[in-house]
Amino acid sequence: MTRKVVIVGAGVVGAACAFHATAAGMDVTVIDRGPVGAGTTSRGEGNILVSDKEPGPELSLARLSRTLWEEAAQEVGPETIELEPKGGLVVASTEESLRSLNAFAARQAACGVRVEPVEHVRDLEPHLAAGLPGGVHYPQDAQVQPVLAAAALLDAAVARGARLLTGEVTAAAADRGGRVTGVLTASGDVLQADAVINAAGTWGGEVGRRLGAPIEVLPRRGFVLVTEPLPPMVHHKVYSADYVANVASSDEGLETSCVVEGTRGGTILIGASRERVGFDMTPNPAVLTTLAAQACRLFPSLKKVHLIRAYRGFRPYCPDHLPVIGPDPRLPQVVHACGHEGAGIGLAPATGALVTAHLLGHPWHGADPAAYTGLLPDRFFTQGGASK
């Protein structure tokens, strides 16, 4: 069994890995060059979704993660992480899109997802536009406050003996046979470990390269708008049916699909955009205008609401739009846990459990490595794979 682990990344995925590894009795050190949750985690909406996942390993991971978020909340306190089982409502704008949505939901239902077709969507969300042909309600969708969640998971890990360090990993430490024995830091320290977990989010590709196990994790920029505080008017996570197609797209150009949800503070969050522009953080007013217009078409009452800010960040994605989770076949002591795109917050607990299961060599908290071979790094090293 792996005894000593270094986790690179203190976002929500790294925090979840520490949470589960320490629960399994491992000696854990978490290192990040910045504060807890300061990267992609701080730029997310906190979504815990099953509604946007095609049947396959990611949907299975999402279903497990939904359960593990509940378990984690019981330990750290639901209010601490602001866990809200608000449910999701996916709405169609045309009869054709409704047929596609219902077919998609039927495939999910066959995998155990709870789906509830809705003929009159304004019964659930009275402020929606009139004339929408229908939608699907997903009662299992939920939300957390992402930075609070990452901090709470790490606090629990530290209470079990984990160490949290600020620093930058520059390379892997290795023995004469090339076996990874830890990491080297920019300050010249060596952190010894039996395994190194790459949970660096959008920078997972660079961290993998530094460890000698490069993996193709790319940034995909997204913007989110924030309104002034309002009385409660959006009760679920509401998004248009084309959102799922945009998530799965590999197009480099700008894609937008309407996502609207309320927060406990009364503000409304409006997304979502996706574009491949590297790590360019330049504001794009055209994107903000498009998102606002789409939200107003879905919720006409938003036309009279003021925006108070917009924020942006990068989603870490792999070319096949699945996260990469498991030991690297070139350096088995390096375990990847990145490339979740916009689903990292929702999938974090199950990712942490799956990584821990790989380290233990047997299932852990419902995560069985044999059930998630489709997420292994090996898939990139077969003929025609994405990484070299």
Side-chain angles (χ1 to χ4, degrees):
M1 181 185 108
T2 301
R3 297 292 180 184
K4 184 173 287 191
V5 177
V6 168
I7 299 172
V8 184
V12 69
V13 172
C17 290
F19 179 83
H20 280 284
T22 54
M26 298 180 195
D27 181 327
V28 172
T29 299
V30 180
I31 182 169
D32 197 302
R33 62 185 181 182
V36 172
T40 297
T41 296
S42 68
R43 307 295 174 155
E45 298 171 61
N47 297 325
I48 303 171
L49 303 182
V50 296
S51 57
D52 63 341
K53 309 291 189 299
E54 286 274 5
E58 190 180 29
L59 178 58
S60 297
L61 200 69
R63 294 181 63 222
L64 173 61
S65 217
R66 180 66 180 86
T67 299
L68 294 182
W69 267 122
E70 292 283 355
E71 291 184 9
Q74 291 305 308
E75 177 173 341
V76 305
E79 292 303 311
T80 301
I81 62 175
E82 297 185 5
L83 177 63
E84 294 183 80
K86 61 169 60 176
L89 177 63
V90 185
V91 297
S93 57
T94 66
E95 292 291 345
E96 182 180 358
S97 67
L98 181 60
R99 286 191 292 272
S100 297
L101 173 60
N102 285 331
F104 177 73
R107 295 195 298 273
Q108 293 176 306
C111 298
V113 176
R114 291 172 58 194
V115 303
E116 300 172 352
V118 180
E119 182 177 357
H120 303 293
V121 292
R122 296 179 80 182
D123 290 346
L124 274 69
E125 292 287 349
H127 293 280
L128 277 169
L132 294 170
V136 176
H137 177 227
Y138 289 85
Q140 292 166 299
D141 282 358
Q143 186 171 356
V144 292
Q145 207 294 333
V147 177
L148 293 180
L153 293 176
L154 271 176
D155 285 347
V158 169
R160 292 196 280 259
R163 293 167 296 280
L164 177 60
L165 304 178
T166 300
E168 186 164 355
V169 169
T170 58
D175 60 21
R176 292 182 178 179
R179 185 180 187 276
V180 173
T181 58
V183 298
L184 306 176
T185 71
S187 60
D189 296 324
V190 178
L191 304 179
Q192 298 291 336
D194 301 313
V196 179
I197 300 172
N198 174 15
T202 308
W203 295 271
E206 172 62 18
V207 168
R209 185 190 65 77
R210 293 182 185 187
L211 295 174
I215 200 79
E216 193 167 4
V217 178
L218 305 169
R220 207 175 185 191
R221 189 176 70 186
F223 290 82
V224 175
L225 312 182
V226 185
T227 74
E228 62 185 317
L230 302 167
M233 63 170 286
V234 182
H235 307 288
H236 303 78
K237 179 182 177 68
V238 182
Y239 62 88
S240 58
D242 58 355
Y243 174 83
V244 175
N246 283 355
V247 169
S249 172
S250 296
D251 290 348
E252 293 190 18
L254 172 66
E255 295 172 335
T256 59
S257 50
C258 191
V259 181
V260 181
E261 62 188 307
T263 69
R264 288 191 177 187
T267 59
I268 292 177
L269 307 180
I270 299 168
S273 65
R274 285 173 165 79
E275 52 186 332
R276 288 171 54 183
V277 292
F279 285 98
D280 182 2
M281 288 287 282
T282 305
N284 188 340
V287 176
L288 308 186
T289 300
T290 299
L291 290 175
Q294 290 179 341
C296 290
R297 284 196 293 271
L298 199 60
F299 286 92
S301 56
L302 289 176
K303 293 178 181 179
K304 299 180 181 179
V305 172
H306 293 94
L307 294 175
I308 59 173
R309 68 186 180 97
Y311 62 91
R312 57 201 182 278
F314 300 101
R315 302 176 181 91
Y317 81 98
C318 292
D320 60 1
H321 299 281
L322 292 174
V324 54
I325 305 171
D328 194 289
R330 301 158 298 181
L331 290 173
Q333 298 80 36
V334 174
V335 180
H336 297 291
C338 49
H340 295 77
E341 198 159 340
I345 293 160
L347 298 179
T351 298
L354 183 55
V355 164
T356 301
H358 279 295
L359 298 176
L360 292 171
H362 59 74
W364 173 261
H365 277 248
D368 183 354
Y372 294 98
T373 56
L375 303 180
L376 287 169
D378 304 53
R379 71 187 193 266
F380 296 119
F381 308 106
T382 57
Q383 185 174 4
S387 298
K388 304 295 183 186

